Every structure is written in structure tokens, then in C-alpha cells.
Amino acid sequence: MGLEQIKMTLMKQILGLTAVISFAMFSPTSAEQRLYVAYPPQDHKTTSDRIFLIGTAAQEGDVSINGQVIPRSNAGHFAPTVPLQLGDNTFILRYRNQKIKLNIMRIATEAIPVESVSFLNDSLTPSENMAILPGELVCFSAIAPQKATVSVKLAGQTIPLSPQSQSLELPDNKAVLTGLNQPLKSEIVKHQGCGVIATNSTFFGEKQILDLGQPQYQLTLNNQTINQAATGQISILSPTQFEVAEVIVDEGNARTGPSTDNSRLTPLPKGTRARIIGRQGEFLRLDYGGWIKANETRITTDAIPPNSLIRSASSRQVGDWLEVSFPLQVAVPLTVKQEDQRLILTLYNTTAQTDTIRFNDNALISRMDWQPVLSPLGEESQNAVQYTFHFKTKQQWGYKLRYDGTTLVLSLKIPPQLQSNLPLSGLNILIDPGHGSKNDLGAKGPTGYPEKDVNLVVSKLLEAELIKRGASVFMTRKGDEDLYPQDRVKMINEQEPDLSISIHYNALPDNGDAIKTKGVSTFWYNPQAHSLAVFLQDYLVNQLNRPSYGVFWNNLALTRPTVAPSVLLELGFMINPDEFEWIVNPQEQQKLAITLADGIVEWVKLTQ
């Protein structure tokens, strides 16, 4: 057997025996011998004006990109940032007699302003069908040359559009992660205008909706005139024949606008009913202000909008939860707002006839207040009733909502009762090792070692440390299971743990700096998780002497569950050549697990 064969045989044995601690060997080729690029993939496309090239080679010798020698870590890893021109970019990486050719395409983030007598493709609004209420203001926009005269005609009315040359484009949400979160002046000239489309209720007859057709745009420039129709149609909803949406999924995803880019509102429990006051594409606008996808609802017609009276409210303890019941005539829309030692529940389309509320003394709530919220005259939203729960302890441990028929049940988690023998005895903790399976690797380090594997290694070490301290631990995965985020969320909701912690390691958008950026970061969404996120962030940074990347409020699937304080930890940057060595070091992994478990113990002490 030759020397190379012996090396390969030993390599296979080592990989099989040390899957949880090995990291240097994970790549299509051996990182000890070959030049390897972990990111970006071949023929990558991006809108960024720069990109980092992450990879590794043996420590001895130089690595160059397009003839320029690049810096590397002590272990031989690299992650330089290179500029990108619009269109095709080619990079040649060399190490000794090895060569890798990378093709990367940068695509434009903004459409190029038109110079001819024409509208920019797909710039006319609405681009999808929409419906509005009678008398509602509707706005139109089109991208056209600065000096063009633009108008739009609909239902016999003509609305002039004016050029808005000083418009600003907001950066993507991910810009917060790279420190480039500033509005940019747009070079595109948008022509915009708004108006009210006059209608008469007699036009509707028995129809629920009146189709006005596609807005017809007109552009005049240099004595030339063109006409073009928007792709979307506009309709007017009947003022007397009401459409009603009923939520048919367990949690209807309510949002601030008609797209998944818009912010989330409190999910609407199954059975919620509300009047439809607008449509756009696949979304419905509900009378209390939120938008929801039509396929999450059942649509019916009714002679009157769904409204309810409310009189009494009562509470009872069921297991680890305090259930507060609100009998209603209709399952109305709602929102929940958490504050320090307070939770505020608002029931919309609801009018109070309340004189008596039964609320016995309990271990969780000191008192509950209520007040009516009256809508200003002329607004479409209906009256609402607001309930404020004052907690005896500062920390809130979770809540959940459901409709039993038309009775709303708000369940509030009673603080866990710890036992005295071990610091976490009586506490149930869920650990979610992020990513998993061959289809969901997560971020990759310079050697190609995937985030999913180190997530699992550290999660298992943390599990052992928490059990030593008395906690009961549930793992969303113990191997390479193929789990979607919604599968993990379902486990959290079913297990109803006292704490939920998702373990991850970080990366950056293409325009980030993979060499300079490092450190621990923590993400939270519901206010009940804020103190846990801040405490663990500070504890890990100080105890481990690690850089702090920061604490972030973030709308992530694993931070959204309300049944428990839920946080997501990004414990370092896989793409940073130096930090990667700390991430995959078995001794540091063990130290991290011990420190994280100790941090949870210390935080729990503060809540008692």
C-alpha cells in the first residue's frame, strides 16, 4: 500500500470516528493539500457591488486572486472582499500549481431610467388586481423620463402624475447586519399621483364588487404620445353587500400590508371573522387594519359586518397555565402587546357592556384593567376594547390564544417552580440545533465544514450541561433530520417548554466584510424574550472574552413562538477565517456549552 493510500485509509477512519470534532477534513478535497473555495458557488449571481471569497489551502505558500497575493489566517484560511462590476466578473485563484476559476455575475439593483418615449417595463401600478372601498384614495405611479407628461385614466376620470425626482430607496433589512443601513437617493424618476374614483351605489345593484378595469396610462414627450394599460385591474367593493373573511388555519398570518415583505401583526386565531375592506393580489385587507392571504380564509357574504358585544370575563388555572376567557358573539380580530410586567390585549370590532369581571387572586396576575377604545368619527375601523394584565413578576413566561367557538381564551404561562436540589430542576428547556440534512447546510466555513454540524455538536454539549444542572431537555433534532422552520416551531408549540434556544453560527450578505466581522449575537422577537437575549449575550461575551456582534430584534421563525421566551443565538461567524478556528475547536466548544448553561442558571435566578 502506497503512502497516499495509507493516508486516505487513515483519513476515512478518522472521519468515521470523530465526526463531532473533525472540521479540517470536510471538503470535496483535503484542505491540507488542495486549494478549496467554500463560497461563492460557481456562476453565483448577486446585486452587491462586492463579495467575499471564502476558502482555504495548505499553510505553506501563497494564494493569489487575479495575480494579487491575499492574506490568510494561521491555519491557511482566507476571506478577502473583492469589488464587482455590473455584469460578468471572473476571478482566478492560484495556489502553487492549482487553479480555480470563478464566474460571478452582478445584476443591477435598480432599473435603468428610460430615455425614450416609453414607460419602463413593469413600472405601471397596480401590477396586480386590487379592490378598494368607495371614496377611498387610490395612488398611481409609473417610471418615465423626467420631462414627460404623464396621466392615468380610469372610470372616465383623468389623474395627472408628477415626477418625483428626489425619491429615496430604503436599504434591505439585511443592511443592519453590515452597517450600511442608510437610504440611498434613487436615480429613477417616478411619476406619481392620487385621486378618488367617483362611484354611485346604484352602479352595484346586487354585486359585491364593481370592476373598473385597467388604468390607462398616457405619456407625452417631444410631441409624441403613447398609451399603455397597467397589468392590474381596480375594483370597488360594494358599500352594502359585505364580504367577510373567516380564518381557517390555526394562526392566520396578519401583516401591515399586502405582501410577505410587510411586518407581522399578532397572528389571528382560527375562527376569527372580519369584514374585507380591500384586496390586492392574493391578500385581503381586514377592517381592523391587518392584511392576510386569501388562502388562509373562507370568504362569505353577510348583511352586516361582524361585530360583538362583550360583558364578562373570567379566569381559571389549568395545569401550568392561567386561562382567561372572554365570551363573544363573534370571533373578532385582536392584537397582543407585551410590556414590562404588563400584557395588553385589544379586541377589535367589539363594544363593551361590562359591569362585572371575576378574577381571583393567583400567583401570576396582580390585577386586570379594561377600557373601551373608541374610533374617531369617519374612520373605517370599529370600536375596540383593551384589557391590561399587570404581572406580579417582571418576567413573562409565555402566552397562547385560541377561540373555543366564539369565546376567546388567552392562556398565560405560570412561572416554573424550581426545586432546590439542582439549579435548573423543574425547568423544561428546548434546544434547536439549526439547519440539518444534506439540503440545509447553513453557512459554510473556509474548509467547507457546514454550520449544521457544529450546531449539533454544541447543542449536544449544551444538552449534557443543562441536564447536569437539573433541567429536562428536548432536542428538535439529534442527527441529520430534514426539518423545515415550521416543523421546529410546531415542536416548540407542542412541547410548551419554559425556554426555547436555537443554536446557530453566522454569515453575512455578499456586501459584508468576512475578515473584520466576528462575534456573538443574539436575536429575539417577543418582549418576553428580551431580557434573556440581553443577559446571555453579555454573559457569553464577558465570560468567554469574545467579540460582541450585538443583540437584534428580528422576525425569525424560531424567535416568534409565544408559548415560551424564545431566542436564537449566533455564536460566531463561520465565514471569518480566524473565528472559524475558535468555532471548531473541541475544547472551546465544551467551554462554550458550560458557559451558556451557567448563563441560563444565572438568568433564571434573576427571575425568581
Side-chain angles (χ1 to χ4, degrees):
M1 182 180 291
L3 180 59
E4 290 303 314
Q5 289 177 304
I6 293 173
K7 286 182 178 179
M8 291 302 296
T9 300
L10 290 173
M11 184 74 73
K12 291 178 181 178
Q13 292 173 347
I14 292 170
L15 284 171
L17 292 172
T18 61
V20 297
I21 61 173
S22 173
F23 61 91
M25 298 96 167
F26 185 93
S27 69
T29 56
S30 172
E32 295 297 324
Q33 302 175 26
R34 303 292 300 274
L35 175 66
Y36 174 67
V37 175
Y39 185 86
Q42 187 63 264
D43 298 323
H44 180 63
K45 294 181 180 180
T46 181
T47 59
S48 175
D49 62 353
R50 73 201 80 169
I51 196 168
F52 39 73
L53 307 183
I54 300 172
T56 192
Q59 294 163 278
E60 299 80 13
D62 292 332
V63 173
S64 66
I65 298 178
N66 290 351
Q68 193 82 21
V69 175
I70 59 173
R72 297 197 288 154
S73 70
N74 292 334
H77 309 322
F78 56 82
T81 294
V82 294
L84 295 176
Q85 303 298 320
L86 281 173
D88 291 324
N89 295 261
T90 299
F91 299 97
I92 305 295
L93 290 86
R94 294 184 183 273
Y95 171 72
R96 293 183 175 175
N97 63 343
Q98 300 171 44
K99 181 179 79 169
I100 293 177
K101 181 180 179 181
L102 277 180
N103 296 312
I104 302 170
M105 176 177 282
R106 177 186 167 193
I107 55 179
T109 56
E110 292 186 339
I112 301 172
V114 292
E115 301 294 338
S116 60
V117 185
S118 64
F119 293 106
L120 195 70
N121 288 339
D122 304 320
S123 71
L124 307 185
T125 63
S127 60
E128 53 189 2
N129 294 345
M130 63 180 293
I132 59 175
L133 292 172
E136 185 176 349
L137 190 70
V138 59
C139 293
F140 303 90
S141 70
I143 297 175
Q146 171 85 34
K147 296 181 180 179
T149 300
V150 180
S151 63
V152 63
K153 188 174 182 179
L154 183 67
Q157 294 178 234
T158 300
I159 299 171
L161 276 60
S162 302
Q164 310 294 319
S165 58
Q166 299 301 314
S167 62
L168 295 176
E169 292 292 333
L170 292 178
D172 184 86
N173 271 306
K174 293 185 180 66
V176 173
L177 304 176
T178 58
L180 303 174
N181 191 31
Q182 293 294 326
L184 299 174
K185 183 178 178 181
S186 174
E187 299 300 324
I188 289 178
V189 178
K190 281 188 177 181
H191 292 251
Q192 296 177 305
C194 301
V196 175
I197 309 302
T199 58
N200 191 310
S201 60
T202 59
F203 295 166
F204 288 89
E206 295 182 358
K207 296 179 181 179
Q208 275 97 36
I209 194 164
L210 178 64
D211 294 324
L212 302 181
Q214 297 166 294
Q216 301 294 317
Y217 282 80
Q218 185 176 89
L219 180 154
T220 301
L221 180 66
N222 299 328
N223 296 319
Q224 297 182 57
T225 298
I226 64 165
N227 296 282
Q228 186 174 328
T231 55
Q233 299 187 58
I234 295 181
S235 303
I236 307 293
L237 297 174
S238 170
T240 57
Q241 298 291 318
F242 302 116
E243 285 190 314
V244 174
E246 179 180 339
V247 177
I248 58 174
V249 295
D250 288 338
E251 289 189 344
N253 291 306
R255 296 182 180 273
T256 57
S259 85
T260 54
D261 291 334
N262 287 95
S263 300
R264 289 175 179 259
L265 301 172
T266 302
L268 299 177
K270 186 176 183 178
T272 300
R273 289 170 57 83
R275 177 190 172 197
I276 299 171
I277 62 170
R279 292 173 177 260
Q280 186 164 328
E282 60 181 341
F283 280 84
L284 307 175
R285 182 183 171 198
L286 305 183
D287 55 11
Y288 83 110
W291 293 76
I292 189 171
K293 281 187 176 181
N295 64 6
E296 296 184 5
T297 71
R298 178 189 300 114
I299 299 174
T300 59
T301 58
D302 208 330
I304 58 172
N307 293 280
S308 180
L309 299 174
I310 187 166
R311 292 175 181 162
S312 61
S314 59
S315 66
R316 62 171 184 160
Q317 184 170 335
V318 179
D320 296 332
W321 297 87
L322 180 70
E323 289 190 348
V324 186
S325 297
F326 301 88
L328 297 160
Q329 297 166 303
V330 176
V332 298
L334 54 86
T335 57
V336 170
K337 178 183 179 182
Q338 285 183 310
E339 298 177 348
D340 285 348
Q341 291 190 262
R342 298 201 309 173
L343 182 145
I344 301 170
L345 169 70
T346 302
L347 304 180
Y348 296 93
N349 304 339
T350 303
T351 301
Q353 289 186 348
T354 303
D355 287 325
T356 304
I357 293 177
R358 178 173 181 173
F359 213 95
N360 295 334
D361 185 41
N362 59 81
L364 183 62
I365 304 297
S366 60
R367 75 175 193 275
M368 181 184 75
D369 302 329
W370 76 271
Q371 63 178 4
V373 182
L374 302 178
S375 298
L377 188 64
E379 288 194 1
E380 286 298 328
S381 59
Q382 304 298 313
N383 291 345
V385 182
Q386 194 173 84
Y387 296 88
T388 302
F389 296 85
H390 300 267
F391 290 86
K392 291 182 176 178
T393 58
K394 186 173 182 179
Q395 178 59 39
Q396 298 178 44
W397 289 88
Y399 73 87
K400 52 187 180 179
L401 294 158
R402 73 178 192 275
Y403 272 111
D404 283 345
T406 60
T407 295
L408 176 67
V409 180
L410 168 65
S411 299
L412 302 168
K413 186 72 173 288
I414 296 172
Q417 302 300 306
L418 300 183
Q419 301 168 15
S420 58
N421 52 335
L422 290 171
L424 296 180
S425 291
L427 204 71
N428 297 308
I429 300 176
L430 180 142
I431 301 175
D432 171 53
H435 305 286
S437 83
K438 64 181 181 181
N439 299 316
D440 186 11
L441 303 180
K444 290 195 295 185
T447 65
Y449 184 64
E451 179 197 347
K452 63 159 186 164
D453 287 353
V454 70
N455 289 343
L456 186 59
V457 171
V458 171
S459 293
K460 286 183 175 180
L461 293 173
L462 177 60
E463 176 190 30
E465 293 300 324
L466 291 173
I467 290 173
K468 285 180 185 178
R469 290 157 179 75
S472 297
V473 180
F474 177 87
M475 298 270 285
T476 59
R477 68 179 179 97
K478 295 188 176 181
D480 217 19
E481 294 91 334
D482 193 1
L483 297 174
Y484 290 101
Q486 59 264 34
D487 299 323
R488 303 165 194 262
V489 171
K490 183 179 179 182
M491 291 181 189
I492 296 172
N493 289 331
E494 289 176 347
Q495 291 296 318
E496 296 181 356
D498 298 309
L499 298 176
S500 172
I501 299 174
S502 189
I503 301 295
H504 287 256
Y505 285 84
N506 221 338
L508 285 172
D510 285 344
N511 61 346
D513 190 325
I515 293 179
K516 293 182 180 179
T517 308
K518 60 176 64 175
V520 176
S521 53
T522 312
F523 294 77
W524 63 280
Y525 180 71
N526 294 301
Q528 64 191 15
H530 178 254
S531 67
L532 176 62
V534 172
F535 186 90
L536 291 182
Q537 174 76 12
D538 292 343
Y539 195 85
L540 291 174
V541 166
N542 294 327
Q543 296 296 318
L544 296 174
N545 194 29
R546 299 303 303 168
S548 175
Y549 186 57
V551 178
F552 297 84
W553 178 93
N554 205 335
N555 176 15
L556 301 170
L558 273 299
T559 59
R560 282 198 298 269
T562 64
V563 295
S566 302
V567 298
L568 184 146
L569 301 176
E570 297 276 6
L571 296 169
F573 279 83
M574 295 288 289
I575 61 177
N576 182 285
D578 295 313
E579 191 158 62
F580 178 71
E581 294 303 306
W582 174 79
I583 289 170
V584 295
N585 183 303
Q587 289 75 33
E588 295 297 337
Q589 291 171 347
Q590 183 66 58
K591 187 189 300 183
L592 170 61
I594 292 170
T595 305
L596 183 51
D598 287 343
I600 292 171
V601 169
E602 294 303 314
W603 178 80
V604 170
K605 287 180 182 177
L606 295 176
T607 68
Q608 301 302 298

